[in-house]
Amino acid sequence: MDITLGLDFGTHQSKLCLSYMPNNDTVHEFVEFLTPEGEVTTLFPSVIQVNEDDTIGIGFVDDNHCKGVLVPKPIMNELPEEPSVMLPDKPHKSYPPKPKVVEQDWKEKLMAISNGKDKNKIAQEEWIQTCAKVDYDYTKQVNSWKQKCDTILETHAIWQKKVDSIRSDYAKVLSAWENKNKRCLYFKYFKLSSFSANYPWNKDNPIGADILSVWYLTYLMLYVKRMVFDKFNEKFEDSIAVQMGVPSGVNTIHSEQIKKQAYKLLVAARELMEFFSSPEDFCQTDYHELLSMTVLPTTDIYEKADNYGFFVLPEAFAGLQSLTNRKRLSQGKMHLLVDIGGGTTDIAFFTINEDLTPDIHTMNSFHKGLNYVFESFCEENKGFSISDAQELFTSDRSLFEKGLTLYRNELSTQLNRLVEKIKREYYKNMSNVKDKMGISKLTKAMNGCPIVYCGGGSLYKEMRVRTEYFTDERLVDKNTLNIPNLKTRITKDDYFTILATAYGLSVPQFEEPKMTDLSKLFANIAINVAAGKTSKEEKTEYGIIDD
């Protein structure tokens, strides 16, 4: 029996979907896992821990058995140098001595009365004027002195506030360290670090992100290997093709690097599988021994991947495949897809071929998702872990408004750039028929077109944004996917949004996803217009040349 495993390797959790044909009808089944509490889930956490006995645990954290490493005592940040509080002396006010009364004989007094120039009166008036100037100058000096004192005192107050903040933060950190001066060896975000240079792996971690990714994939494939053998008596090596999704962008070179990295991880995991009979056997191996056994290939990567039945697809394409495969999106329109995951957001501009497969014209991926919102919250609220933030987020998203706003701004920027790129390519290709095909033709055609959201992050309306043209907002759900012959019982409808990519990956692909460059897309329309073809004669104009 030919079986396809759709492997959606996620930043926070992974989702796996099997498709097979027992009786000529394709059956889809999501792989289920047991939580430590004994509950069944289709969402397998992307986490690995090292246990106290140096074995490993994959998927779920168990603090009671997790190996701890001593955490150095925190060092308080250096305090800024204290500014001087020496205040300048207060200005002194000094009046000139009063003028002495000059004795005058009767002739001088008579003369003063006749000409109005009494020496004593003049001296007195001049003294009063001098005293008034002294008062004026003194007032200016005192005001200047007060300003200097206020500046000195304010500078010291700012310094004191900084010192108090540093000491307060240190007291909290020290208290946390005293309560738990051992750090549990469990690892998250290794998938993100393996595929993105924007998330460098912490050098203090004793195990590299690539190694952890290989171990995680090894466990998943061993788990599916046993499941398939128990259900169908089929061997993994003989019957299963694995299709894994990866983040991808418009940059061809970068996308090829990501695909190569994915194949390296898959090949290494597949070769590591050979040494173990079960996922439990794998986890019971000393992690030091696993380190020596894990080898990432450097040559013949693509040949080995092909021999093992591995196929890497852009996550955006897989998300689209889950929709177009069931005719939930129609031909004759332009579409946007926004897949909001834990660590990345994938955006794709696409149309639909006559064979109902997506034709992607441009796509992009940026490294922000739900975890970015959680991390923004934790940066502002010291002492909260990512897990704490996740729990809070489900109950009160108003606490995360800053991170949500920053994320929405980034998503809006990326969408606007994509729309502007579409406009530029259209204008460039319509230069010969611009009298008939002005830019308004394109904008009118884009208006009201679908923007489809999927991925766990899109479940929250606070993560989604409104667009100027693609205003038909749709959220992938149970009815949208309409998965045929679904064997797995999904108890929460929200899960279908999260599981969409895994389902799309389980649809067998026999060739690379079709991608028609934007320039070629619009060039064909320009040719049709120049040839005088109408929309009835030419069906691939996506509403641009409709009458």
Side-chain angles (χ1 to χ4, degrees):
M1 182 188 302
D2 291 332
I3 302 171
T4 301
L5 170 64
L7 201 169
D8 182 8
F9 180 13
T11 300
H12 287 287
Q13 56 204 5
S14 294
K15 291 74 64 179
L16 286 73
C17 185
L18 293 169
S19 68
Y20 47 91
M21 297 179 65
N23 298 306
N24 294 326
D25 288 328
T26 302
V27 174
H28 294 277
E29 180 177 358
F30 290 103
V31 177
E32 296 180 325
F33 303 87
L34 275 180
T35 70
E37 294 74 28
E39 297 177 353
V40 175
T41 181
T42 54
L43 311 179
F44 191 66
S46 300
V47 59
I48 295 178
Q49 77 170 38
V50 176
N51 299 317
E52 289 178 337
D53 60 358
D54 286 343
T55 60
I56 61 172
I58 296 182
F60 302 97
V61 172
D62 181 1
D63 286 334
N64 294 325
H65 296 93
C66 190
K67 189 181 185 68
V69 292
L70 287 174
V71 177
K73 184 177 180 179
I75 300 173
M76 186 171 69
N77 290 338
E78 186 177 351
L79 298 177
E81 185 179 351
E82 181 176 6
S84 172
V85 288
M86 292 279 296
L87 300 179
D89 293 335
K90 185 175 182 179
H92 176 69
K93 181 166 66 174
S94 177
Y95 294 118
K98 289 185 176 182
K100 293 180 180 180
V101 178
V102 179
E103 292 294 333
Q104 302 178 19
D105 57 23
W106 66 271
K107 289 182 180 181
E108 290 175 325
K109 289 180 180 180
L110 184 61
M111 182 66 70
I113 291 171
S114 64
N115 60 22
K117 292 184 179 180
D118 187 306
K119 291 182 179 179
N120 288 321
K121 186 178 179 180
I122 293 172
Q124 181 67 20
E125 290 175 350
E126 289 176 349
W127 178 80
I128 291 172
Q129 290 177 357
T130 302
C131 289
K133 188 175 186 310
V134 169
D135 287 338
Y136 176 77
D137 291 341
Y138 178 71
T139 300
K140 289 175 61 178
Q141 292 170 0
V142 167
N143 288 339
S144 177
W145 170 78
K146 285 182 178 179
Q147 288 179 355
K148 290 178 181 178
C149 291
D150 289 345
T151 299
I152 292 171
L153 293 174
E154 184 180 357
T155 301
H156 193 272
I158 293 172
W159 169 84
Q160 188 64 57
K161 188 176 181 180
K162 288 182 180 178
V163 168
D164 292 344
S165 177
I166 291 172
R167 287 174 173 162
S168 175
D169 289 345
Y170 178 68
K172 293 176 184 177
V173 172
L174 186 62
S175 175
W177 176 83
E178 289 171 345
N179 291 331
K180 191 175 182 180
N181 55 19
K182 283 189 177 181
R183 176 172 62 87
C184 288
L185 277 182
Y186 62 82
F187 309 97
K188 297 181 178 182
Y189 303 130
F190 43 83
K191 183 252 184 175
L192 201 56
S193 291
S194 290
F195 288 101
S196 172
N198 294 330
Y199 277 83
W201 194 241
N202 190 332
K203 293 181 180 179
D204 294 334
N205 288 328
I207 308 173
D210 287 357
I211 299 296
L212 290 167
S213 294
V214 170
W215 291 358
Y216 186 78
L217 294 171
T218 301
Y219 180 91
L220 290 179
M221 288 194 286
L222 284 168
Y223 189 93
V224 172
K225 176 180 180 179
R226 180 172 61 191
M227 173 184 171
V228 168
F229 186 79
D230 291 345
K231 275 181 174 286
F232 311 114
N233 197 30
E234 295 276 354
K235 290 185 178 182
F236 184 99
E237 297 82 355
D238 299 334
S239 305
I240 296 182
V242 179
Q243 296 186 161
M244 189 172 85
V246 292
S248 191
V250 70
N251 186 308
T252 304
I253 296 176
H254 181 59
S255 296
E256 285 301 318
Q257 290 173 341
I258 291 176
K259 286 176 63 177
K260 185 176 181 180
Q261 172 70 353
Y263 282 127
K264 285 174 65 175
L265 299 177
L266 285 167
V267 169
R270 177 66 178 76
E271 292 179 344
L272 189 58
M273 279 178 62
E274 297 295 328
F275 297 99
F276 304 98
S277 60
S278 69
E280 292 77 18
D281 179 30
F282 173 64
C283 287
Q284 287 302 310
T285 306
D286 187 294
Y287 85 96
H288 295 96
E289 186 177 349
L290 287 179
L291 282 172
S292 64
M293 296 172 68
T294 307
V295 181
L296 272 76
T298 56
T299 59
D300 302 325
I301 297 168
Y302 293 101
E303 291 82 358
K304 290 178 180 178
D306 186 55
N307 290 335
Y308 290 139
F310 295 143
F311 195 30
V312 171
L313 296 166
E315 289 171 353
F317 176 85
L320 295 176
Q321 183 78 344
S322 68
L323 301 175
T324 59
N325 191 50
R326 300 304 299 164
K327 303 181 182 180
R328 284 309 192 240
L329 295 174
S330 60
Q331 291 178 265
K333 282 191 175 183
M334 295 174 282
H335 307 74
L336 286 182
L337 174 82
V338 181
D339 183 354
I340 306 175
T344 59
T345 297
D346 296 308
I347 303 172
F349 171 62
F350 68 100
T351 54
I352 299 172
N353 292 317
E354 292 181 1
D355 59 0
L356 300 180
T357 59
D359 187 357
I360 300 176
H361 308 299
T362 185
M363 57 184 173
N364 191 24
S365 178
F366 65 95
H367 295 287
K368 284 186 176 70
L370 265 178
N371 69 300
Y372 172 77
V373 178
F374 300 150
E375 288 168 357
S376 297
F377 174 83
C378 293
E379 285 177 6
E380 290 207 336
N381 298 272
K382 304 298 183 184
F384 281 87
S385 66
I386 295 292
S387 299
D388 296 332
Q390 289 173 323
E391 188 173 342
L392 272 175
F393 188 77
T394 57
S395 59
D396 188 359
R397 285 185 282 285
S398 65
L399 299 172
F400 298 80
E401 189 52 42
K402 181 177 179 181
L404 286 167
T405 299
L406 290 171
Y407 173 80
R408 288 194 300 268
N409 289 343
E410 178 66 21
L411 178 55
S412 293
T413 298
Q414 295 288 341
L415 287 170
N416 289 337
R417 285 176 181 169
L418 187 145
V419 169
E420 289 304 312
K421 179 179 179 180
I422 294 171
K423 289 181 179 179
R424 285 196 305 271
E425 289 296 331
Y426 177 86
Y427 187 79
K428 184 169 63 177
N429 281 274
M430 297 299 171
S431 58
N432 293 331
V433 289
K434 59 184 178 182
D435 54 328
K436 298 179 181 179
M437 303 300 296
I439 198 72
S440 61
K441 290 278 189 179
L442 174 68
T443 55
K444 183 179 178 181
M446 288 193 297
N447 190 38
C449 282
I451 177 169
V452 184
Y453 281 94
C454 67
S458 65
L459 287 171
Y460 308 100
K461 65 179 185 300
E462 294 87 351
M463 297 286 286
R464 306 195 294 264
V465 299
R466 293 184 178 276
T467 53
E468 182 178 359
Y469 300 111
F470 293 82
T471 52
D472 180 10
E473 183 179 307
R474 304 186 189 185
L475 181 65
V476 174
D477 56 17
K478 180 179 180 179
N479 293 327
T480 307
L481 289 180
N482 191 29
I483 303 176
N485 301 319
L486 178 59
K487 189 171 183 180
T488 315
R489 182 171 177 267
I490 306 298
T491 56
K492 296 181 180 180
D493 285 349
D494 284 353
Y495 276 20
F496 284 94
T497 308
I498 302 172
L499 296 169
T501 299
Y503 164 56
L505 287 166
S506 72
V507 178
Q509 298 297 313
F510 303 102
E511 57 185 21
E512 290 290 330
K514 184 174 181 181
M515 291 190 65
T516 301
D517 190 82
L518 272 177
S519 60
K520 293 182 180 179
L521 174 76
F522 294 134
N524 290 338
I525 295 175
I527 291 170
N528 293 332
V529 172
K533 290 185 178 180
T534 67
S535 59
K536 293 180 180 180
E537 295 171 318
E538 179 52 60
K539 299 298 184 184
T540 56
E541 36 69 32
Y542 314 112
I544 294 173
I545 59 175
D546 282 347
D547 296 331

